[in-house]
Each structure stands twice: as structure tokens, then as C-alpha cells.
Amino acid sequence: MIEETSHPGSPTLVEDLLLLLFQPRSGTIAGENTLFYVLAGAVLAELALADRVTMADRRTVKIVEGRAPSDDLLRSAWDYLSEKPRGVQTVLAAIGPELRKPVLERLVERGDITREDRKMLGLFRTTSLRDGGTGRRARLLEEVRQVLVDGAEPSARVAALAALLSGSGTLPQFYRDIPWTTPVITRAKELEQGNWGAGAAAEAVTRTVTATVVNSVIVTTTVIPRS
């Protein structure tokens, strides 16, 4: 069980991902039907980027001993894996369902997203989400756009973020900022496979773990819902 407790000042990758998936024009979050798989993928990717997990074999992930994270969201996933190595898709299904609420709460606490209560037809109270005006979503989106559209060399973190966006199947919804063109699709697929370029300083094993995570997200968000 993930508890909503204090957390470090720096946003986690899963916070950045949810903030990008938030659509300010509609007040909705893209890909809600399979969101928990994608958020769980971001948690695993961050653990990999920080060398806190690694691959036990081609499909199984395990912890790196002595590398427990202090962040509550990451620690919950790390503790689950500390019991024994597990298949990536198993981990996504286990840790994902409880992530949306605490991650959204963090974004609200930071002011990146605000909640607006209002009544529908003067009777029913609803809560809508609005952009908080911090500019952080716009900065994140610009970093991803530069990588996918302009061909900029990404940092490992931005490469993972772009790969997860692509793997989630939501990238076409960003067409106003990231044109859905053949070069963009090609670059996004390269990032999904861990081909990040020389600028993304990350060990080969980290890229492998992240690529495995992203491709597991693709499977769970496309194949499984249709079965």
C-alpha cells in the first residue's frame, strides 16, 4: 500500500509523465484506460536510471542490493521487488493501480495542476483539473519536442520520458506541439528500443532495463486490452 507521505523536492519521472499526460485544454489525462501500466513503467524506469534495479534475465527484473530509494512511491516498488525477482509485466500490474492518486496529489501540491470544484446543473458537484501555471509542463513538453522533432540529443531522463509517452500510445494526442510525422514516429521507436544517442549518458544495462519496461508497457496497453 502506497502512503501519501512527505517526499523529496525533486519531481520523480512518474510525476513528469503524469503531468505531460494531463491535457490542459480538456482538463483530462490522456490514456486513462491503461494509465496505471504507464505510470508503473515510469516508476520502474526511474529505478533503472538510478541503478536501483537491473535485469535478472531477459524478462525478469530484480533489485540492486543496498540501493533502496527514499522516495515513498519508488520505495514501495523496490520493496515489492526485494521479495524476489519478478516479471516486468507482473510488476506493472501489481504496483500500477495505486499510483494515480498519490502522483496526482504531488502535482497538485507542487501547483503544477489545480483542482476546481463546481456544480453541474446547479445540483451535482464535480471536480475538474486545470493547469497550475507553473510552466513546468510546457518545459517538459519542449524538451521532448526537441528530441523528437528537432533531433536533439536527449538526457537519459528525457529519453525515458519520451519513450514512455510513445509506448503509452498517447503521442498522437500531442500533435499540436509534436507533429505526428514519419521522422517523429521513427525517432520515438528508436527511443523505445533504448537507442538514445551518445548524449544520454546511461549504462547499456540501464538502457536495456528501460527498453524492456517500455516494451512491456506497449504489450499491456495494446495487446491485453484487445484480448
Side-chain angles (χ1 to χ4, degrees):
M1 178 70 66
I2 296 172
E3 297 179 357
E4 295 178 39
T5 56
S6 61
H7 51 83
S10 298
T12 58
L13 188 66
V14 69
E15 290 173 65
D16 288 348
L17 182 62
L18 185 58
L19 182 56
L20 277 177
L21 290 172
F22 168 64
Q23 305 295 298
R25 293 181 179 88
S26 63
T28 61
I29 295 174
E32 279 278 18
N33 290 340
T34 53
L35 181 64
F36 72 85
Y37 293 119
V38 182
L39 296 182
V43 169
L44 273 184
E46 177 132 351
L47 291 172
L49 291 175
D51 297 319
R52 301 185 190 280
V53 299
T54 189
M55 300 301 296
D57 55 44
R58 292 181 62 183
R59 296 182 179 180
T60 307
V61 66
K62 64 179 182 179
I63 64 166
V64 176
E65 294 290 346
R67 296 283 297 162
S70 59
D71 182 278
D72 300 328
L73 295 178
L74 303 180
R75 181 59 185 264
S76 180
W78 194 90
D79 286 345
Y80 175 68
L81 279 168
S82 70
E83 298 171 5
K84 64 178 181 179
R86 301 179 190 269
V88 174
Q89 288 185 12
T90 298
V91 179
L92 297 181
I95 71 174
E98 295 183 352
L99 286 172
R100 185 188 187 278
K101 182 179 178 181
V103 174
L104 181 58
E105 286 299 324
R106 289 191 180 191
L107 294 175
V108 172
E109 289 172 13
R110 295 184 191 281
D112 296 321
I113 292 177
T114 60
R115 289 194 182 95
E116 181 179 291
D117 293 326
R118 58 183 180 179
K119 287 186 177 180
M120 296 289 291
L121 304 176
L123 296 173
F124 307 104
R125 185 173 297 279
T126 63
T127 300
S128 58
L129 302 177
R130 295 286 182 264
D131 186 276
T134 63
R136 194 162 74 84
R137 184 183 184 277
R139 291 192 294 271
L140 288 169
L141 187 57
E142 175 60 18
E143 290 180 338
V144 173
R145 192 200 68 79
Q146 288 177 0
V147 171
L148 293 177
V149 179
D150 300 336
E153 287 283 352
S155 65
R157 186 180 180 87
V158 173
L161 191 58
L164 285 162
L165 275 180
S166 178
S168 71
T170 60
L171 203 51
Q173 298 187 41
F174 293 82
Y175 68 92
R176 290 185 178 89
D177 302 287
I178 302 174
W180 190 237
T181 63
T182 298
V184 166
I185 296 170
T186 299
R187 182 57 177 141
K189 294 301 178 183
E190 290 174 350
L191 295 173
E192 288 177 12
Q193 298 302 318
N195 300 321
W196 295 350
E203 297 292 336
V205 65
T206 300
R207 298 183 189 213
T208 299
V209 176
T210 306
T212 302
V213 168
V214 171
N215 282 277
S216 293
V217 167
I218 293 171
V219 170
T220 53
T221 57
T222 56
V223 177
I224 292 178
R226 295 174 186 173
S227 62

